[in-house]
Amino acid sequence: MICHSCGKKTVQIGLCLECFLKKHPILIEDIAVKVCRCGRFWRKALWEKDLEKFLGKMIFENLVVDPEIKITGIVVDPVFEERKIKAKVVLKGTYRGLEFEREMSKEIRKEPVSCPVCSRVSSSYYEAVVQFRIPVDARKTLDGEYVTRTEKVAGGFDAYVTNAPYARKLGSQFARKGYIVMHSKQIAGMKDGVEMCREFVAIKSPGVEVGDFIRYKDKFLQIMEFGRTIRTKDVSQRKTQMIPPNRIEKSEVVARKSDVRKAMVSSVSPSVTQFMDQDTFSTFELPNKYPELKEKDIVSYVKIGKDVYIL
Ligand SMILES: [Zn+2]
Ligand SMILES: [Zn+2]
């Protein structure tokens, strides 16, 4: 067999190794690492020591390679400079069973930061704990300057934070994304006759999304917007209602956004309005309490239990 690009003999059909690598070059994405003057560096939400030992892993994680290429080995020879690390990288790999070796060079940017150990007296110091209990990995969003350590626990992880306002900032960041965020405080002891408080910020998955319907007290509410308070719409009164985030968790989801259907107003009489579902063409009637509706209007509706609500 021959390479259809250069005509060289190949073991398998397709491009030869050289042509394949020319067409699908191995790349290393830009890497920046936060390094403290003490040598500690921030990686995957942990402060680690011995950057040199981790360089191979970091480069490996930032390789961009075609799936046909398997990287089997990586050797890094670094030169540490003030603001960067110049690394000579030797990659070993296989392409369709063919072994090869490639030499590359990569500059890794160093961002000077002060680790919590250096900026505080003790590494066990923390003002707040942010308790992540959500299905997505939030570790990437953490700022190492304020996080001394993270600890895996059932259902998520805890981040120990040296600065309470930063913990609150994380809380509101996640509240805006629709997560349930709860704040609490605990007395952590006395210092100079003053009670010391430790703050806890718990971030949980709401299990509901914008557009879903919940039972709240004796009402059905549709979630309109997440935030410090949650904006909802009472589906029977068709009025806005604000509710506190921690109430969502205990509420039963009665319908999903995907349960919303379209119907056309097929007739209006003084006492009833008749609707026709736009997919099934089945009809239903409601007492005429929608004075704004005219025949042929298209409306959204949801069925909760036996009852129909026009949205
Ligand atoms: Zn070729
Ligand atoms: Zn340090």
Side-chain angles (χ1 to χ4, degrees), residues 51-53 55 76-81 85-88 108:
L51 180 54
E52 188 163 353
K53 208 182 82 190
L55 284 177
V76 182
D77 182 12
V79 178
F80 285 81
E81 293 184 1
I85 305 158
K86 283 185 180 164
K88 198 180 91 182
I108 295 163

Side-chain angles (χ1 to χ4, degrees), residues 36-40 114-118:
C36 178
R37 60 182 182 278
C38 69
R40 284 189 180 82
S114 192
C115 79
V117 180
C118 293

Side-chain angles (χ1 to χ4, degrees), residues 3 6 16 19:
C3 169
C6 66
C16 72
C19 291

Side-chain angles (χ1 to χ4, degrees), residues 26-260:
I26 299 173
L27 304 171
I28 305 168
E29 288 189 329
D30 283 338
I31 306 171
V33 54
K34 289 182 169 172
V35 190
C36 178
R37 60 182 182 278
C38 69
R40 284 189 180 82
F41 66 100
W42 182 244
R43 183 186 132 84
K44 292 194 170 176
L46 289 172
W47 283 98
E48 303 276 6
K49 287 178 183 169
D50 201 353
L51 180 54
E52 188 163 353
K53 208 182 82 190
F54 277 93
L55 284 177
K57 257 188 195 166
M58 282 164 61
I59 289 171
F60 183 78
E61 287 161 359
N62 286 283
L63 283 177
V64 183
V65 284
D66 189 277
E68 288 238 36
I69 304 255
K70 297 269 171 299
I71 300 295
T72 54
I74 181 164
V75 179
V76 182
D77 182 12
V79 178
F80 285 81
E81 293 184 1
E82 175 77 26
R83 300 305 294 264
K84 57 182 183 261
I85 305 158
K86 283 185 180 164
K88 198 180 91 182
V89 183
V90 180
L91 292 174
K92 279 194 179 136
T94 58
Y95 163 69
R96 301 184 171 187
L98 218 66
E99 289 184 10
F100 68 88
E101 207 174 285
R102 273 290 177 283
E103 201 180 301
M104 306 170 75
S105 58
K106 185 71 192 172
E107 280 190 7
I108 295 163
R109 264 182 303 127
K110 277 161 76 180
E111 289 173 3
V113 290
S114 192
C115 79
V117 180
C118 293
S119 52
R120 292 282 175 185
V121 225
S122 140
S123 67
S124 59
Y125 179 87
Y126 62 99
E127 287 181 359
V129 183
V130 184
Q131 301 163 313
F132 288 93
R133 305 290 184 273
I134 55 179
V136 297
D137 187 1
R139 288 182 304 173
K140 286 192 285 284
T141 60
L142 297 178
D143 186 339
E145 281 194 64
Y146 301 118
V147 180
T148 38
R149 65 200 155 93
T150 53
E151 233 169 54
K152 263 196 183 155
V153 296
F157 71 92
D158 289 345
Y160 291 79
V161 171
T162 56
N163 171 285
Y166 173 70
R168 281 177 235 136
K169 199 180 103 187
L170 275 176
S172 35
Q173 227 174 64
F174 278 86
R176 277 197 299 275
K177 287 182 191 161
Y179 293 99
I180 293 174
V181 179
M182 285 185 278
H183 297 261
S184 58
K185 280 183 185 179
Q186 237 174 52
I187 293 163
M190 302 280 282
K191 195 186 174 190
D192 307 325
V194 181
E195 267 180 0
M196 299 283 291
C197 264
R198 202 156 268 166
E199 293 194 26
F200 291 84
V201 179
I203 301 175
K204 297 182 189 175
S205 208
V208 289
E209 287 171 24
V210 168
D212 288 345
F213 301 83
I214 57 163
R215 185 196 303 275
Y216 181 72
K217 294 176 184 170
D218 55 347
K219 297 172 184 170
F220 296 129
L221 305 179
Q222 186 179 23
I223 310 288
M224 306 306 285
E225 193 184 6
F226 286 106
R228 285 183 81 86
T229 55
I230 295 172
R231 187 162 63 86
T232 70
K233 191 167 110 185
D234 179 335
V235 294
S236 139
Q237 302 294 319
R238 304 167 92 201
K239 277 185 190 147
T240 298
Q241 180 168 359
M242 307 301 288
I243 62 169
N246 57 359
R247 299 302 296 266
I248 289 256
E249 212 183 4
K250 297 174 204 119
S251 320
E252 178 200 351
V253 176
V254 289
R256 294 290 182 184
K257 186 186 175 185
S258 55
D259 295 326
V260 174

